[in-house]
Amino acid sequence: MGLVEKRAIKSFQDTKFPELEKEINSIAGYPIEFSVEWDTLAAPDYADRYEEYFTDIYFKPIIETFKFIAADDMGKEALKEILQKIHIKNDGTVTSEVRAYSFEGGVLTVNHDPVVNAHHVDYRTKKLTEVLSSKM
Protein backbone atom coordinates (compact mmCIF):
# COMPACT_ATOMS: atom_id res chain seq x y z
CA MET A 1 0.00 0.00 0.00
CA GLY A 2 1.42 3.33 -1.06
CA LEU A 3 1.16 6.74 0.53
CA VAL A 4 -1.84 7.73 -1.60
CA GLU A 5 -3.80 4.68 -0.42
CA LYS A 6 -2.71 5.18 3.20
CA ARG A 7 -3.93 8.78 3.13
CA ALA A 8 -7.24 7.82 1.53
CA ILE A 9 -7.87 5.09 4.10
CA LYS A 10 -6.93 7.42 6.95
CA SER A 11 -9.29 10.06 5.59
CA PHE A 12 -12.11 7.51 5.41
CA GLN A 13 -11.37 6.32 8.96
CA ASP A 14 -11.39 9.86 10.33
CA THR A 15 -14.35 11.33 8.47
CA LYS A 16 -16.76 8.88 6.85
CA PHE A 17 -16.42 5.79 9.05
CA PRO A 18 -17.53 7.51 12.30
CA GLU A 19 -20.68 8.77 10.53
CA LEU A 20 -21.49 5.31 9.15
CA GLU A 21 -20.81 3.61 12.48
CA LYS A 22 -23.07 6.09 14.27
CA GLU A 23 -25.86 5.56 11.71
CA ILE A 24 -25.63 1.77 11.96
CA ASN A 25 -25.70 1.85 15.77
CA SER A 26 -28.62 4.27 15.73
CA ILE A 27 -30.66 2.03 13.44
CA ALA A 28 -29.80 -1.07 15.50
CA GLY A 29 -30.63 0.70 18.75
CA TYR A 30 -27.48 -0.47 20.53
CA PRO A 31 -23.70 -0.15 20.11
CA ILE A 32 -22.13 -2.74 17.84
CA GLU A 33 -18.40 -3.37 17.93
CA PHE A 34 -16.60 -2.90 14.61
CA SER A 35 -13.36 -4.54 13.56
CA VAL A 36 -11.97 -3.46 10.20
CA GLU A 37 -8.82 -4.82 8.58
CA TRP A 38 -8.08 -1.50 6.87
CA ASP A 39 -4.83 -2.61 5.23
CA THR A 40 -6.69 -5.33 3.31
CA LEU A 41 -9.07 -2.78 1.79
CA ALA A 42 -6.36 -0.88 -0.08
CA ALA A 43 -6.65 -1.13 -3.85
CA PRO A 44 -4.00 0.56 -6.00
CA ASP A 45 -5.32 3.18 -8.43
CA TYR A 46 -8.68 3.48 -6.62
CA ALA A 47 -7.80 5.70 -3.64
CA ASP A 48 -9.91 8.53 -5.03
CA ARG A 49 -12.96 6.23 -4.90
CA TYR A 50 -12.52 4.69 -1.45
CA GLU A 51 -15.24 6.79 0.15
CA GLU A 52 -17.79 5.79 -2.48
CA TYR A 53 -16.72 2.17 -2.89
CA PHE A 54 -16.16 1.34 0.80
CA THR A 55 -19.54 2.87 1.61
CA ASP A 56 -21.34 0.98 -1.17
CA ILE A 57 -19.60 -2.35 -0.64
CA TYR A 58 -19.33 -2.60 3.13
CA PHE A 59 -21.69 -0.16 4.82
CA LYS A 60 -24.81 0.57 2.72
CA PRO A 61 -25.88 -3.10 2.70
CA ILE A 62 -25.56 -3.18 6.49
CA ILE A 63 -27.56 0.04 6.84
CA GLU A 64 -30.32 -1.13 4.50
CA THR A 65 -30.48 -4.59 6.08
CA PHE A 66 -30.67 -3.10 9.57
CA LYS A 67 -33.44 -0.73 8.46
CA PHE A 68 -35.42 -3.77 7.33
CA ILE A 69 -34.70 -5.94 10.36
CA ALA A 70 -34.92 -3.21 13.00
CA ALA A 71 -38.10 -1.66 11.62
CA ASP A 72 -39.90 -2.55 14.84
CA ASP A 73 -39.10 -3.52 18.44
CA MET A 74 -39.25 -7.24 17.63
CA GLY A 75 -36.60 -6.85 14.95
CA LYS A 76 -34.39 -4.64 17.11
CA GLU A 77 -34.53 -7.16 19.93
CA ALA A 78 -33.81 -10.07 17.59
CA LEU A 79 -30.80 -8.25 16.16
CA LYS A 80 -29.49 -7.38 19.60
CA GLU A 81 -29.80 -11.02 20.70
CA ILE A 82 -27.64 -12.37 17.90
CA LEU A 83 -25.18 -9.67 16.78
CA GLN A 84 -22.33 -8.28 18.85
CA LYS A 85 -19.65 -7.47 16.29
CA ILE A 86 -19.13 -6.67 12.62
CA HIS A 87 -15.79 -7.66 11.10
CA ILE A 88 -14.86 -6.20 7.70
CA LYS A 89 -12.01 -7.48 5.57
CA ASN A 90 -10.84 -8.40 2.09
CA ASP A 91 -8.96 -11.68 1.83
CA GLY A 92 -8.75 -11.30 -1.95
CA THR A 93 -11.07 -14.19 -2.83
CA VAL A 94 -14.59 -12.68 -2.81
CA THR A 95 -16.08 -10.46 -5.50
CA SER A 96 -19.78 -11.25 -5.21
CA GLU A 97 -22.46 -11.14 -2.55
CA VAL A 98 -22.93 -14.90 -2.64
CA ARG A 99 -19.90 -15.52 -0.43
CA ALA A 100 -19.39 -12.06 1.07
CA TYR A 101 -21.23 -12.67 4.35
CA SER A 102 -20.81 -15.15 7.14
CA PHE A 103 -22.21 -15.18 10.64
CA GLU A 104 -20.88 -17.16 13.56
CA GLY A 105 -20.72 -16.69 17.31
CA GLY A 106 -22.35 -13.25 17.24
CA VAL A 107 -19.91 -11.95 14.62
CA LEU A 108 -20.97 -10.85 11.16
CA THR A 109 -18.01 -11.06 8.81
CA VAL A 110 -18.08 -9.05 5.61
CA ASN A 111 -15.37 -10.25 3.23
CA HIS A 112 -15.43 -8.60 -0.19
CA ASP A 113 -13.08 -7.04 -2.71
CA PRO A 114 -13.02 -3.26 -2.11
CA VAL A 115 -13.72 -2.24 -5.71
CA VAL A 116 -15.29 -5.09 -7.73
CA ASN A 117 -19.07 -4.83 -8.21
CA ALA A 118 -19.15 -1.74 -6.00
CA HIS A 119 -22.53 -0.60 -7.25
CA HIS A 120 -24.32 -3.90 -6.59
CA VAL A 121 -25.64 -2.59 -3.28
CA ASP A 122 -29.09 -4.12 -3.78
CA TYR A 123 -27.67 -7.61 -4.36
CA ARG A 124 -25.46 -7.39 -1.27
CA THR A 125 -28.34 -6.03 0.81
CA LYS A 126 -30.60 -8.89 -0.24
CA LYS A 127 -27.96 -11.50 0.58
CA LEU A 128 -27.06 -9.94 3.94
CA THR A 129 -30.73 -9.72 4.89
CA GLU A 130 -31.10 -13.43 4.09
CA VAL A 131 -28.02 -14.35 6.13
CA LEU A 132 -29.02 -12.40 9.26
CA SER A 133 -32.75 -13.15 9.09
CA SER A 134 -32.06 -16.87 8.91
CA LYS A 135 -30.25 -16.67 12.26
CA MET A 136 -33.13 -15.00 14.10
Side-chain angles (χ1 to χ4, degrees), residues 79-121:
L79 187 63
K80 188 174 183 178
E81 286 178 12
I82 66 160
L83 181 65
Q84 290 83 44
K85 181 178 180 178
I86 297 172
H87 181 77
I88 297 173
K89 67 179 185 172
N90 168 37
D91 72 5
T93 66
V94 181
T95 58
S96 81
E97 72 282 350
V98 175
R99 297 180 329 156
Y101 303 103
S102 61
F103 185 80
E104 187 173 323
V107 178
L108 169 64
T109 299
V110 182
N111 178 22
H112 196 285
D113 183 279
V115 297
V116 176
N117 296 323
H119 296 99
H120 292 181
V121 176

Side-chain angles (χ1 to χ4, degrees), residues 14-69:
D14 292 347
T15 59
K16 190 68 175 174
F17 177 69
E19 294 171 10
L20 293 165
E21 182 180 29
K22 183 178 178 180
E23 182 176 0
I24 290 167
N25 287 332
S26 175
I27 295 165
Y30 69 101
I32 299 169
E33 179 184 350
F34 276 84
S35 168
V36 181
E37 295 181 29
W38 294 106
D39 290 351
T40 70
L41 304 188
D45 301 322
Y46 288 93
D48 62 328
R49 296 188 182 136
Y50 285 177
E51 183 172 330
E52 175 188 358
Y53 286 3
F54 291 179
T55 301
D56 285 354
I57 290 172
Y58 303 109
F59 298 98
K60 277 187 182 177
I62 295 170
I63 289 166
E64 295 306 314
T65 295
F66 281 20
K67 284 179 181 177
F68 173 78
I69 290 173

